[in-house]
């Protein structure tokens, strides 16, 4: 009789206790080998060896390619043991030889395929192109690293295949393994260990210990040196393993029991379906977790199907497993035979109709052996225990159903969800059913088919996690995220600021991808811009007012053949539906480029359209910070108001009805490609709109300067912008046709846009967004009204910046304190507004006084407020400012 030892730390050794046990051939009940019986001490030695090997890094530290080379040697050694493995597996487990001979081939294939995938395709390290955190810029990547010591605990039905399923992915992903085969079938795993040793897999990387599950399981699942457990077996033991593993919070994957439904639709090919039901149930004596042990048959074909199935079951040859003509061999053990007999008795008691089988079988020429006839229960009710509990033997329940929906409901009426099948000649129908069943695998017109790259695992109480495929490889890794800050300066870290008194950002990045063309006649550059962007089909987006002023027509004439249409249905303060409607038109017209002609409302809508046109979906999908990973549909912006700046900013402001407020898309990738500042486009802007939009730009500039994110580039542009507005606004108000002054306002607006893209804005914007969304106050007017009040509110937090603002507003600050100069800046803003006829109070623009409280609460929650130089958290303070402005 052959003698097998434990495999620990690269050596075959006796058990510490010296104990051995016998492994029995279930086809003859004769012992075939003695095996060293591991106990707690051996498990501890094996874990220590695996731990040491992992920590040393001889295996875990190799590159996946180097590991692949070793795994290929391992596969070759398995090939050399192929015949021995197959024969031993057959005798040890009762698998018919026709099946056992595939075991080594499948193992070799798995080793080779998954190691190749790990070396060439697995995402070991990945950049995350967007982080979703706008406040902490930097490089983001994730690494997948080996977990450590992995325990594999495997069952007796497919000992060799299960050993490969546990050892292969663990090793391929850089881990070390302690494998515990079932005590009734320990041999093939120990032969695989020989192959690993012969291949030169480093000592301690593979360890195999055979012995009693209870004792070994306890130590393997609770030992702090173990990082992961992969178990295949019954749901009852799986629950226990999960409980044990919880004491040290190990990662656990479980492949557990099943009671899978094999659904035969009324249009199934009868012969194929009968064969599928027989193979799905009786293959390997039904000792397979994903077996289709509930055959659900349409009432339309029930009688015919049952007859054929009975005949086919009765034609199966039951014989010694080494006999190549046997279709079925013995059950694995006396105990399993007793379980099956118990369930058959129960089925009869429950009232199911036994139509064939239900008895042990004697094989001619053999004394003993655990042979059992293929057994069919008909007219089974799904509530019966034989339909709900896993039997793990050649016993099938046939259940009648009337409709497809009923079949799916019966299939899902189970604590399990591991496998299942559908037989039908109508694939659309079969797929519909397959989608409806809550289970880890569904086969259509087939059963028991596995593949190295296809994941296997269970829903519900059939398990946790997946084996095989990329999903299976992921289970053997840890995920590590690495964030590397873009700016390493304590004064520039927005999150650290939460716990520091330093409220200014020093470091910054300046990103200005928009090509700006400015000046009289700049419009003619449009056609070249379109060609440079590689486009041919431009859609003009505009609003009714702008269209009426003839500006869209001007653009259309210039675009000539490049124009596929004009869409002018954009209202002021656009919402998400505005974007979706414009995108629908752009899709219809197959536009490959957007030309926006209008103020902030049009340009922001266009930004949204460029995103949805490129990425599909709706505006609501991308309403967020930093969600875009690629350049968007090309966008050329032609601003027509005096202040939006949106033509160069990274923001689109869109009203969300769901959220009841203005929300933002913030992303560098939505900055327009080209901005054309042609003063002709603002000549028709009515005086009140000129004034209020100019005050929007003024607010951008002042708030960017005083924001916690301001820096020298931002401040330079902001100051120049404020100076230009102060010098030119009154000129434009006096003479709307003053082209030079108009152009200066446009340039001021663009510079203010750049400034706020660097530094963001502040409380005045938060307050203006709120009254804009809730009471339709034009954005610029709202900004202007609250701006001087907010400047005063911020005075002790931004006196230096506001004093500079005073100077460019023409205030003589000589002899003034910084604080007084800052207050004088606010006065100067008010004076300018009065001079140009800007509305001075919220009551004048239709805000009801009783709503100021609600407005204050909304304003505090606006993103812009985060960057205000004076921290804002008290709605009462905001209410006071609203009240002052009322
Ligand atoms: N994304 C950004 O960077 C940014 C910046 C500022 C404002 N905004 C947003 O933009 C919107 C406000 O934009 P806006 O202030 O530019 O106004 P707007 O786009 O809403 O236009 C206001 C009105 O002016 C009319 N108009 C515009 N140009 C004209 C012209 N040349 N001749 C005649 N009529 C003309 C329009 O028809 C419209 O009725 C708000 O929703 C605001 O939140 C966004």
């Amino acid at each position: 009789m052959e003698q097998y030892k434990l495999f620990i730390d690269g050596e075959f050794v006796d058990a510490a206790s010296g104990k051995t046990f016998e492994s029995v051939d279930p086809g003859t009940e004769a012992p075939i080998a003695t095996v060293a019986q591991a106990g707690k001490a051996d498990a501890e030695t094996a874990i220590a060896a695996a731990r040491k090997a992992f920590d040393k890094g001889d295996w875990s530290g190799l590159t996946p390619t180097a590991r692949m080379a070793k795994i290929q040697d391992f596969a070759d050694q398995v090939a050399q043991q192929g015949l021995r493995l197959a024969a031993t597996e057959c005798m040890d487990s009762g698998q018919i030889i026709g099946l056992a001979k595939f075991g080594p081939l499948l193992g070799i294939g798995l080793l080779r395929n998954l190691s190749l995938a790990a070396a060439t395709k697995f995402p070991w390290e990945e950049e995350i192109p967007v982080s979703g955190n706008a406040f902490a810029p930097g490089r983001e990547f994730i690494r997948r690293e080996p977990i450590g010591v992995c325990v594999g605990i495997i069952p007796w039905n497919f000992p060799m295949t299960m050993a490969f399923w546990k050892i292969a992915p663990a090793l391929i992903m850089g881990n070390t393994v302690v494998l515990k085969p079932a005590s009734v079938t320990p041999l093939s795993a120990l032969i695989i260990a020989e192959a690993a040793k012969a291949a030169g897999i480093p000592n301690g990387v593979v360890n195999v210990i055979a012995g009693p599950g209870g004792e070994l399981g306890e130590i393997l699942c609770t030992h702090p040196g173990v990082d992961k457990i992969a178990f295949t077996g019954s749901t009852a033991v799986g629950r226990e393993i999960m409980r044990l593993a919880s004491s040290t919070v190990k990662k656990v994957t479980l492949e557990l029991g099943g009671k899978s439904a094999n659904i035969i639709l009324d249009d199934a090919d009868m012969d194929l379906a009968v064969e599928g039901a027989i193979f799905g149930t009786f293959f390997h004596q039904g000792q397979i977790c994903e077996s289709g042990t509930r055959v659900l048959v349409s009432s339309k074909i029930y009688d015919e199907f049952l007859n054929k199935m009975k005949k086919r079951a009765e034609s199966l040859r039951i014989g010694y497993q080494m006999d190549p003509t046997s279709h079925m061999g013995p059950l694995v053990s006396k105990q399993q035979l007793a379980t099956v007999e118990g369930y058959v008795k129960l089925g009869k008691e429950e009232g199911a109709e036994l139509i064939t089988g239900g008895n042990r079988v004697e094989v001619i020429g053999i004394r003993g052996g655990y042979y059992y006839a293929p057994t069919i229960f008909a007219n089974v009710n799904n509530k019966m225990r034989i339909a709900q509990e896993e039997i793990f033997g050649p016993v099938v329940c046939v259940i009648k159903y009337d409709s497809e929906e009923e079949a799916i409901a019966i299939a899902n009426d189970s604590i399990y969800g591991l496998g299942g099948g559908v037989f039908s000649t109508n694939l659309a129908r079969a797929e519909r059913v397959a989608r409806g069943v809550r289970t880890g695998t569904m086969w259509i017109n087939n059963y028991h088919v596995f593949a190295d790259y296809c994941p296997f695992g269970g829903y519900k109480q059939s398990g946790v996690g997946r084996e095989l495929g990329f999903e299976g490889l992921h289970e053997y890794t840890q995920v590590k995220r690495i964030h590397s800050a873009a700016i390493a300066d304590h004064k520039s870290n927005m999150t650290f600021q939460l716990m520091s008194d330093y409220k200014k950002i020093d470091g910054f990045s300046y990103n200005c991808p928009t090509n700006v063309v400015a000046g009289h006649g700049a419009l003619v550059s449009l056609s070249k811009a379109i060609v440079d962007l590689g486009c041919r089909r431009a859609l003009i987006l505009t609003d009714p007012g702008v269209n009426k002023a003839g500006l869209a027509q001007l653009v259309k004439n210039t675009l000539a053949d490049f124009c596929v249409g004009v869409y002018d249905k954009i209202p002021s303060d656009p919402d998400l539906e505005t974007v979706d409607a414009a995108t629908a038109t752009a899709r219809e017209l197959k536009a490959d480029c957007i030309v926006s002609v209008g103020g902030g409302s049009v340009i922001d809508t266009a930004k949204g359209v460029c995103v949805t046109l490129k990425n599909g979906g709706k505006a609501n999908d991308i309403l967020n910070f930093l969600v875009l990973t690629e350049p968007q549909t090309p966008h050329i912006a032609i601003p027509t108001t005096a202040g939006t700046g949106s033509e160069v900013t990274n923001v689109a402001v869109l009203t969300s009805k769901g959220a009841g407020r203005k929300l933002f898309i913030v992303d560098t990738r939505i900055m327009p490609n080209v901005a054309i500042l042609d003063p002709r486009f603002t000549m028709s802007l009515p005086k009140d709109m000129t004034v209020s939009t100019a005050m929007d730009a003024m607010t951008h500039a002042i708030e960017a300067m005083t924001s916690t994110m301001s820096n020298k580039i931002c401040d330079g542009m902001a100051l120049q912008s404020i100076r230009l507005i102060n010098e030119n606004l009154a000129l434009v108000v006096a003479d709307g046709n003053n082209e030079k002054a108009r152009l200066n306002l446009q340039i001021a607006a663009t510079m203010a846009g750049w400034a706020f893209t660097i530094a963001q804005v502040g409380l005045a914007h938060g307050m203006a967004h709120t009254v804009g969304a809730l009471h339709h106050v034009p954005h610029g007017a709202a900004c202007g009204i609250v701006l001087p009040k907010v400047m005063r509110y911020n005075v002790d937090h931004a006196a230096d910046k506001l004093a500079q603002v005073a100077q460019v507003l023409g205030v003589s600050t000589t002899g003034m304190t910084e604080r007084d100069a800052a207050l004088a800046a606010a006065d100067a803003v008010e004076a300018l507004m009065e001079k140009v006829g800007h509305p001075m109070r919220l009551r004048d623009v239709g805000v009801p006084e009783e709503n100021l409280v609600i407005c204050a609460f909304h304003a505090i929650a606006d993103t812009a407020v985060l960057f205000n130089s004076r921290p804002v958290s008290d709605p009462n303070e905001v209410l006071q400012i609203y009240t002052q402005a009322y």
Side-chain angles (χ1 to χ4, degrees), residues 543 545-546 549 551 572-573 599-601 604 607 640-641 644 646 649 651 653 662 681-682 684-686 689 693 696 700 756 779:
D543 66 35
V546 173
L551 302 176
S572 275
D573 292 326
S601 302
D604 285 12
K607 286 174 172 174
T640 65
T641 59
T644 173
S646 179
T649 69
V651 183
V653 185
K662 288 189 178 185
F681 282 80
T682 59
S684 55
L685 190 65
M689 285 303 302
T693 54
D696 185 13
H700 290 160
F756 102 67
H779 181 65

Side-chain angles (χ1 to χ4, degrees), residues 425-551:
T425 49
N426 179 339
L427 282 191
R429 216 180 146 199
E431 285 175 15
R432 189 168 64 225
V433 172
R435 289 192 182 97
V437 182
R438 298 196 60 231
T439 188
T441 297
M442 280 298 276
W443 287 284
I444 294 175
N445 294 324
N446 216 335
Y447 216 93
H448 286 316
V449 176
F450 288 83
D452 296 344
Y453 291 126
C454 301
F456 177 69
Y459 279 37
K460 299 188 266 183
Q461 295 188 33
S462 285
V464 179
R466 292 292 179 269
E467 292 192 287
L468 307 184
F470 277 74
E471 286 81 0
L473 295 181
H474 277 280
E475 302 279 8
Y476 283 88
T477 63
Q478 284 285 16
V479 177
K480 179 184 284 173
R481 174 243 184 161
I482 297 180
H483 164 90
S484 173
I487 298 173
D489 167 17
H490 71 283
K491 292 177 182 167
S492 306
N493 186 311
M494 275 219 54
T495 34
F496 292 179
Q497 276 185 357
L498 292 171
M499 289 178 66
S500 116
D501 293 334
Y502 195 88
K503 298 294 179 199
K504 287 269 183 279
I505 295 287
D506 269 7
F508 61 92
S509 65
Y510 176 51
N511 193 336
C512 169
T514 308
N515 175 19
V516 177
V517 189
H520 175 88
L523 179 65
V524 291
S525 61
L526 180 58
S527 299
K528 177 166 184 328
I530 298 267
V531 173
D532 284 350
L533 289 166
C535 301
R536 282 285 180 275
R537 301 180 62 81
L539 172 65
I540 297 172
L541 296 188
T542 188
D543 66 35
V546 173
N547 201 9
K548 204 166 151 219
L551 302 176

Side-chain angles (χ1 to χ4, degrees), residues 113 230 525 527 563 733:
N113 266 345
S525 61
S527 299
C563 182
V733 168

Side-chain angles (χ1 to χ4, degrees), residues 501-822:
D501 293 334
Y502 195 88
K503 298 294 179 199
K504 287 269 183 279
I505 295 287
D506 269 7
F508 61 92
S509 65
Y510 176 51
N511 193 336
C512 169
T514 308
N515 175 19
V516 177
V517 189
H520 175 88
L523 179 65
V524 291
S525 61
L526 180 58
S527 299
K528 177 166 184 328
I530 298 267
V531 173
D532 284 350
L533 289 166
C535 301
R536 282 285 180 275
R537 301 180 62 81
L539 172 65
I540 297 172
L541 296 188
T542 188
D543 66 35
V546 173
N547 201 9
K548 204 166 151 219
L551 302 176
Q553 189 60 42
L554 257 184
V555 175
K556 195 170 177 225
N557 295 345
T558 307
L559 281 171
D561 288 350
F562 290 150
C563 182
V564 293
V566 177
Y567 180 88
D568 77 345
K569 299 193 183 64
I570 297 167
S572 275
D573 292 326
D575 56 18
L576 300 170
E577 289 74 12
T578 307
V579 175
D580 292 337
T583 301
T585 302
R587 284 185 185 137
E588 249 167 54
L589 296 172
K590 299 197 175 14
D592 62 5
C593 170
I594 299 296
V595 178
S596 58
V597 187
S601 302
V602 169
I603 299 175
D604 285 12
T605 302
K607 286 174 172 174
V609 170
C610 289
V611 177
T612 46
L613 203 51
K614 171 71 187 289
N615 299 274
K618 296 188 165 215
N620 196 31
D621 308 340
I622 37 89
L623 199 65
N624 214 331
F625 284 34
L626 305 188
V627 286
L628 307 174
T629 54
E630 294 172 79
Q632 304 306 298
T633 299
H635 179 190
I636 300 171
I638 307 179
T640 65
T641 59
T644 173
S646 179
E647 65 277 4
V648 291
T649 69
N650 62 351
V651 183
V653 185
L654 297 167
T655 301
S656 158
K657 287 188 190 130
R661 57 166 55 241
K662 288 189 178 185
L663 290 177
F664 314 92
I665 306 172
V666 182
D667 203 303
T668 307
R669 291 185 162 95
I670 59 163
M671 289 170 155
N673 304 67
V674 178
I676 297 176
L677 313 182
D678 188 324
R680 276 183 296 166
F681 282 80
T682 59
M683 301 290 234
S684 55
L685 190 65
K687 191 159 78 178
D688 60 328
M689 285 303 302
T690 303
V691 167
S692 66
T693 54
M695 283 313 293
D696 185 13
M698 176 75 90
T699 312
H700 290 160
I702 293 178
E703 294 221 286
M705 273 193 82
T706 58
S707 122
T708 53
M709 305 269 283
S710 71
N711 60 57
K712 291 179 180 61
I713 293 183
C714 155
D715 293 357
M717 286 194 286
L719 286 168
Q720 177 68 347
S721 170
I722 297 164
R723 195 177 65 79
L724 284 175
I725 296 166
N726 189 47
E727 287 173 6
N728 290 280
L729 183 55
L731 296 178
V732 172
V733 168
D735 174 9
N737 289 322
N738 183 338
E739 191 178 320
K740 194 173 160 204
R742 286 274 189 197
L743 178 61
N744 280 336
L745 285 185
Q746 285 184 291
I747 290 169
T750 296
M751 294 182 84
W754 273 321
F756 102 67
T757 294
I758 295 173
Q760 309 302 314
V761 280
L763 177 58
H765 265 84
M767 295 175 71
H769 288 150
T770 303
V771 292
L774 299 185
H775 300 296
H776 308 293
V777 181
H779 181 65
C783 280
I785 293 169
V786 295
L787 175 64
K789 280 64 180 174
V790 171
M791 289 166 76
R792 289 186 192 111
Y793 173 77
N794 284 337
V795 71
D796 290 323
H797 294 256
D800 53 340
K801 294 293 181 70
L802 291 171
Q804 291 177 46
V805 170
Q807 286 176 8
V808 289
L809 284 172
V811 178
S812 169
T813 57
T814 324
M816 280 189 187
T817 63
E818 222 171 40
R819 190 173 195 280
D820 286 346

Side-chain angles (χ1 to χ4, degrees), residues 7-10 42-55 149 176-178 203-207:
F7 184 62
I8 298 176
D9 206 9
D42 305 295
E44 279 173 344
T45 316
I47 293 167
R51 184 82 259 161
K52 192 177 82 196
F54 182 82
D55 294 343
V149 174
T176 58
V177 184
V178 178
N203 291 351
V205 172
V206 178
N207 305 274

